[in-house]
């Protein structure tokens, strides 16, 4: 076997012209065919794998331009939510045209006293409109949550109103599937209605996994979520969902944003690469916003239908800032057709890695254990000849000749 390896390696050195390559391939084929351990099916399978996963260093952000040394690389930072399907558990006008009224009583949110009367209600809620899912001019579907955000022509998703029992303990879920795992940097929600009194963000780290709390927003953290308000973030709870009441006021009545930074105030954020807990914390394949309790002025207790129709959830934009998760082993994440003929996001893995997230080494490249790339070490998977049988050596030498 060693003699055969030396002979093949010598032949490789001669491959300087196309004629030499052809000559070598003929000799190599004869050598492989003479080996009883190599079948045509084995050879075809290994060569297909090699051609599929072959890494080209030229023009790659995953290798140093001058030395060719492997380095950490990442796909571009994007709005991972843009254009994807968001599913809403409730949308106004789905079962026919319904009326809603626009809140305009800003002075009450600023602390002014208010004595309710039907006359006052008519003055305070003068603008009522129609929501009808079958009429695009009056529809507010979930696709408006992450379409192009044009400030001159704002579109928004909207729920039913309090007339239809949209209030705690009933909740509304907005669910986004990202297509694969992402490293999430932030989640931004821009409200077209007043911000809710209570809402929460959840995530999943796999498409079949459990929903995990990411962040709570509430003026009643203990009562609604059983979580204390404004906990101090320490190393012991930096990968735990916290609750804040900072964004739970009813004012402004429209246009307010809430931004959740996944690493904000996390002590280990400055040492992110050496924190497995935070790496898992920022990973998500799915996100969910659960709207639990509407903000009101308290006038809903009088059950005036016009007042109740002025309370609903409406969101004009959801943005998710992040990168396709490739563990530092890919600079591109592209849509590719899978075995089920569906297009899905896939890392274009380099550094001799493979897997959905470049989370494993290629076959025959396990000389060192797989590890995510860091700024100091790319952790490139290395080819291992030490324990290979003659078939594996033949295949790897063939790969060398082809590339």
């Amino acid at each position: 076997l060693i003699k055969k390896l030396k002979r093949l390696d010598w032949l490789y050195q001669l491959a300087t012209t196309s004629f030499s390559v052809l000559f070598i391939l003929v000799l190599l084929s004869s050598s492989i065919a003479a080996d009883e351990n190599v079948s045509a099916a084995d050879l075809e399978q290994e060569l297909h794998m090699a051609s599929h996963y072959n890494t080209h260093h030229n023009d790659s952000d995953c290798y140093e331009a001058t030395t060719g040394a492997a380095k950490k690389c990442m796909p571009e930072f994007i709005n991972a939510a843009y254009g994807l399907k968001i599913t809403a558990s409730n949308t106004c006008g789905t079962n026919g045209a319904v009326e809603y009224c626009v809140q305009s009583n800003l002075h009450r949110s600023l602390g002014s006293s208010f004595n309710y009367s039907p006359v006052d209600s008519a003055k305070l809620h003068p603008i009522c409109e129609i929501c009808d899912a079958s009429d695009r001019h009056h529809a507010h579907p979930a696709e408006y949550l992450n379409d192009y955000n044009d400030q001159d022509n704002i579109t928004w998703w909207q729920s039913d109103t309090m007339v239809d029992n949209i209030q705690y303990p009933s909740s509304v879920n907005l669910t986004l599937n990202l297509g694969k795992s992402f490293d999430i940097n932030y989640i931004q929600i821009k409200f077209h209605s007043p911000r809710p009194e209570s809402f929460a963000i959840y995530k999943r780290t796999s498409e079949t996994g459990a929903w995990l709390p990411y962040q709570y927003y509430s003026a009643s953290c203990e009562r609604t979520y059983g979580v204390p308000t404004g906990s101090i973030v320490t190393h012991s709870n930096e990968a735990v969902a916290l609750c804040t009441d900072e964004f739970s006021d009813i004012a402004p009545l429209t246009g307010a944003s809430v931004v959740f930074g996944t690493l904000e105030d996390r002590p280990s954020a400055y040492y992110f690469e050496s924190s497995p807990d935070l790496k898992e914390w920022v990973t998500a394949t799915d996100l969910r916003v659960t709207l639990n309790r509407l903000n009101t002025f308290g006038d809903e207790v009088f059950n005036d239908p016009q007042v109740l129709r002025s309370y609903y959830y409406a969101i004009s934009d959801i943005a998710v800032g992040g990168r396709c998760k490739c563990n530092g082993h890919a600079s591109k994440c592209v849509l590719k057709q899978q075995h089920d003929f569906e297009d899905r996001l896939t890392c274009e893995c380099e550094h001799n890695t493979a897997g959905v997230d470049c989370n494993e080494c290629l076959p025959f490249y396990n000389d060192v254990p797989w590890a995510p790339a860091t700024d100091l070490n790319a952790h490139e998977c290395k080819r291992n000849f030490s324990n290979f049988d003659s078939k594996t050596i033949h295949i790897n030498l063939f790969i060398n000749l082809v590339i």
Side-chain angles (χ1 to χ4, degrees):
L1 181 60
I2 298 302
K3 290 181 179 179
K4 185 180 295 184
L5 176 59
K6 290 181 177 179
R7 176 167 63 88
L8 294 173
D9 186 55
W10 172 75
L11 289 173
Y12 172 69
Q13 301 300 323
L14 295 178
T16 57
T17 66
S18 57
F19 176 78
S20 299
V21 172
L22 178 61
F23 176 70
I24 290 169
L25 293 181
V26 172
L27 292 180
L28 180 58
S29 299
S30 300
S31 176
I32 293 174
D35 192 331
E36 62 182 5
N37 292 324
V38 180
S39 67
D42 288 335
L43 180 59
E44 182 179 0
Q45 179 181 0
E46 302 300 344
L47 293 183
H48 174 74
M49 188 178 298
S51 64
H52 181 71
Y53 291 112
N54 184 23
T55 299
H56 300 281
H57 295 190
N58 295 336
D59 301 323
S60 172
D61 293 333
C62 298
Y63 295 89
E64 295 288 352
T66 54
T67 65
K71 66 176 182 178
K72 178 182 176 181
C73 53
M74 297 181 293
E76 63 178 333
F77 189 88
I78 62 171
N79 175 6
Y82 180 72
L84 296 182
K85 182 180 180 180
I86 297 181
T87 302
S89 63
N90 177 276
T91 299
C92 68
T94 302
N95 298 317
V98 294
E99 187 180 51
Y100 68 94
C101 301
V102 179
Q103 274 286 354
S104 60
N105 187 22
L106 180 58
H107 74 271
R108 282 189 293 175
S109 69
L110 301 178
S112 298
S113 61
F114 174 71
N115 296 314
Y116 175 82
S117 74
V119 175
D120 290 328
S121 176
K123 293 178 181 178
L124 294 170
H125 308 289
I127 305 173
C128 293
E129 299 186 14
I130 295 297
C131 177
D132 185 353
S134 65
D135 180 353
R136 66 183 184 89
H137 296 291
H138 296 94
H140 300 287
E143 64 191 66
Y144 287 168
L145 287 164
N146 56 343
D147 60 346
Y148 177 70
N149 195 6
D150 184 355
Q151 293 302 310
D152 296 325
N153 184 26
I154 296 176
T155 59
W156 68 91
W157 161 86
Q158 185 171 305
S159 74
D160 284 327
T161 69
M162 196 178 282
V163 167
D164 301 298
N165 297 316
I166 298 299
Q167 179 58 308
Y168 187 84
S170 298
S171 60
V172 177
N173 291 323
L174 306 174
T175 306
L176 169 67
N177 175 260
L178 297 170
K180 71 173 300 296
S181 55
F182 271 74
D183 291 327
I184 306 299
N185 182 269
Y186 70 84
I187 301 167
Q188 180 178 16
I189 305 171
K190 188 173 183 179
F191 288 91
H192 191 66
S193 65
R195 288 170 296 192
E197 190 273 351
S198 295
F199 75 98
I201 301 174
Y202 298 86
K203 70 158 187 170
R204 291 199 297 196
T205 55
S206 68
E207 294 184 354
T208 58
W211 286 104
L212 306 172
Y214 224 1
Q215 177 71 12
Y216 298 113
Y217 296 95
S218 179
S220 54
C221 290
E222 286 272 14
R223 178 162 58 99
T224 304
Y225 299 117
V227 177
T229 304
S231 299
I232 298 174
V233 183
T234 65
H235 287 283
S236 63
N237 70 346
E238 64 181 355
V240 175
L242 306 177
C243 189
T244 178
D245 59 4
E246 184 178 358
F247 304 103
S248 296
D249 191 77
I250 197 170
L253 295 179
T254 187
S257 290
V258 176
V259 180
F260 168 54
T262 57
L263 295 177
E264 184 178 1
D265 298 329
R266 263 62 184 181
S268 298
Y270 295 102
Y271 315 101
F272 178 77
E273 289 188 337
S274 58
S275 175
D277 288 342
L278 282 190
K279 286 183 177 181
E280 181 69 12
W281 174 249
V282 303
T283 300
T285 59
D286 304 80
L287 295 170
R288 171 174 287 176
V289 177
T290 299
L291 307 168
N292 294 110
R293 183 182 276 115
L294 288 161
N295 245 323
T296 73
F297 292 114
D299 51 353
E300 74 277 7
V301 298
F302 298 102
N303 289 321
D304 183 328
Q306 192 174 31
V307 171
L308 297 180
R309 289 190 184 98
S310 70
Y311 293 125
Y312 50 85
Y313 302 112
I315 296 175
S316 61
D317 190 60
I318 293 179
V320 178
R323 300 179 192 272
C324 186
K325 186 180 185 69
C326 299
N327 287 293
H329 294 304
S331 60
K332 295 179 181 179
C333 194
V334 297
L335 283 172
K336 287 186 177 180
Q337 191 177 81
Q338 307 300 311
H339 295 299
D340 57 3
F341 302 106
E342 292 289 334
D343 289 337
R344 290 190 179 87
L345 280 175
T346 305
C347 297
E348 287 194 342
C349 299
E350 304 207 44
H351 301 161
N352 302 316
T353 60
V356 176
D357 302 329
C358 305
N359 54 321
E360 60 189 19
C361 288
L362 280 171
F364 317 138
Y365 286 81
N366 57 352
D367 190 52
V368 293
W370 178 91
T374 67
D375 290 332
L376 299 179
N377 190 336
H379 291 291
E380 184 179 28
C381 293
K382 304 291 185 180
R383 187 174 297 168
N384 182 0
F385 284 105
S386 58
N387 297 318
F388 284 7
D389 59 19
S390 59
K391 181 188 74 171
T392 303
I393 292 177
H394 285 314
I395 297 302
N396 279 278
L397 286 174
F398 186 86
I399 294 170
N400 277 335
L401 288 172
V402 173
I403 65 175

